[in-house]
Each structure stands twice: as C-alpha cells, then as structure tokens.
C-alpha cells in the first residue's frame, strides 16, 4: 500500500536522559563537602559547639557556685582545688568563666539577631521601593556609620543606663546599618531578575515578592555576616562591662571578671585576668574563622 504524500513518518520519542547520582545531589551535600575542606572551620565549629554545651550545662559543669566565696583561698593561684585560682573575694574563677559563657553567648546571639531582623527589614524596603524611602534609610545608616561601633554602643548605654538589657540594645543598634546595606545591595540586584519580574507581572503582592523570592537570595550574605558579627558583639559587650557600663559587677560576665581583676594584676595575680581574656579571645576567633569559612563556601565567586 502506498503511503500518502502528505503524511509524515511518525518519530519515536527520544528516551529520557539517564540521571546519574551527580545530577540529583542535594545542595546541602554540596555545602557540607565544601565546608569540610576548611580545617579551621571544623575546629572552630567544634569549639563553638563545646562552648554552647558548657553554657547549657553550666550548673553541672561548674565545680563551685560562682557567687560563693572561699574565705580560706582569697586571691589564690591555680591549684587542685581551684584550677584557675580565685579572685580577691575567694570566688572560683573557673566557675565564673563557665557561667560567664551563658551571659556572653546570650548577649552576642540575641543582640545580633535583633540587629539582623531590623536591618534585613530596612534593607528590603530600601532596595525594593527605592526613591525617598531608600534615601531616608541609607542616610540614617550613614549617620550611624559615622560613629565607631564601640563609641556608638557607649553612647546608647549612656543614654539608657547600665544594665544587661541595655547592653543588648546598644550592640543591636550598631549592627543594624551593616545588615541594612548588605540586604539592600542584594535586593537591588535580585529585583532585576527575570523570575522576579515574572512574579510581579502575574500580580503577586509586594509581600510575596519580598518574602518568597527576594529574601531567600539575600540569606547567604546575611548568614555570613551574622556569624562574624557574633564575635564582635561579644567583644563589645565585654568592653562595656569592663568600663562599668554592663551588668552589675557581681554578675559572672567575662568583661566583669576582667574588670574585677585589675587590682590583682598589679599584685602579680595573672590567673584572674588571663583565663577570662583567653576565653574572649578564643570565642571571638572561633566565630570569625567560622564566618570566613561560610563566606568561602556560600559565595560562588570564591568557589574554586
């Protein structure tokens, strides 16, 4: 039978391409494999996890009550009874450092979280709507940028008064403008993307565009700076406590412990100042190393 001239031969559909394991790899697996290539990131992560465990289980790990003095060992050096020695009131330094981890991590995490929330919100508004709102938010950020971070925190605490909650507010205030600038820059780039324009064309409200399509694209930069900022906040809070603008002097906070050790340093009692200073140094270093590793992992421009 002769096939009609106007009939085209039927083509069989092409077989579906075979997907290998590399094609279906999870982005979390890619992140983990990139992250573990940084040895210092692993060390810093382990140190931070141990520090969190110490802060959580401080009542069980501390050998003594941080406020109870030992009248038989006033200003004693390191010994079997008191591994890090005692201060001038006979309080165990190791116990105060363990309990101080709670306060320092609490101040660092909470203050940076508050600053991040407000900064991300302002950055999204400034980058998405622009015009007078962008100018108002950015000029306000420039005013805050004109002051060094510690000086701005001191000014805020001087206005609000000393206290742990006011230290958190002060540290949060000087974290806001940097988060706002980071998110604004990312928003200006993402809102020009084709998929964002498509979502806006179908009539999606601004709330949906900002929260579902723009905000996720800014999170990598926010996470990196959030990690780096925790170390800076812990150091700033300790500085405020050291000059008497933090919590009450008897509170076992690392900056307070250093402040109480000033007189003992002149008498050669090095242990009361060295050990809390070492705790601050290692904690800030660990968060900075972790932030650098996250930046190298999450930033596609730095990936090899």
């Amino acid at each position: 039978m002769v096939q009609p001239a106007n009939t085209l031969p039927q083509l069989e559909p092409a077989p579906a391409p075979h997907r290998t394991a590399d094609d279906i790899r999870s982005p979390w697996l890619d992140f983990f494999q990139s992250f573990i290539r940084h040895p210092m990131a692993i060390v810093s992560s382990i140190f931070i996890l141990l520090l969190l465990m110490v802060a959580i289980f401080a009542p069980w790990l501390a050998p003594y009550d941080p406020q109870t003095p030992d009248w038989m060992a006033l200003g004693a050096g390191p010994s079997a009874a008191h591994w890090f020695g005692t201060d001038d009131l006979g309080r165990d330094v190791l116990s105060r450092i363990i309990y101080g981890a709670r306060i320092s991590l609490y101040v660092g995490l909470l203050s940076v979280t508050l600053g991040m929330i407000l900064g991300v919100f302002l950055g999204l508004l400034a980058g998405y709507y622009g015009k007078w709102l962008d100018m108002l938010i950015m000029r306000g950020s420039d005013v805050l940028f004109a002051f060094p971070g510690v000086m701005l925190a001191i000014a805020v605490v001087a206005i609000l008064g000393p206290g742990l909650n006011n230290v958190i507010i002060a540290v949060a205030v000087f974290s806001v403008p940097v988060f706002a600038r980071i998110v604004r820059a990312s928003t200006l780039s993402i809102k020009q993307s084709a998929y964002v324009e498509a979502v806006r064309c179908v009539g999606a409200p601004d709330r949906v565009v900002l929260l579902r399509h723009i905000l996720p694209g800014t999170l990598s930069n926010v996470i990196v700076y959030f990690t780096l900022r925790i170390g800076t906040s812990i150091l700033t809070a300790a500085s405020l406590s050291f000059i008497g603008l933090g919590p009450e002097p008897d509170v076992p906070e690392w900056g307070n412990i250093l402040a109480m050790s000033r007189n003992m340093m002149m008498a050669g009692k090095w242990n009361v100042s060295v050990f809390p200073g070492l705790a601050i140094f290692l904690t800030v270093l660990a968060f900075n190393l972790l932030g650098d590793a996250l930046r190298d992992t999450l930033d596609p421009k730095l990936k090899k």
Side-chain angles (χ1 to χ4, degrees), residues 283-297:
T283 303
V284 174
L285 178 63
F287 278 107
N288 287 342
L289 292 175
L290 180 60
D292 290 338
L294 289 174
R295 181 193 58 193
D296 296 342
T297 304

Side-chain angles (χ1 to χ4, degrees), residues 11 67 75 88 94 107 287:
L11 300 177
Q67 303 289 16
D88 54 351
L94 175 59
V107 172
F287 278 107

Side-chain angles (χ1 to χ4, degrees), residues 13-38:
H18 177 67
R19 300 183 66 185
T20 62
D22 293 335
D23 298 330
I24 57 177
R25 290 178 62 183
S26 169
W28 290 102
L29 181 60
D30 291 338
F31 168 79
F32 179 75
Q33 290 181 345
S34 299
F35 184 77
I36 62 176
R37 295 193 184 104
H38 300 80

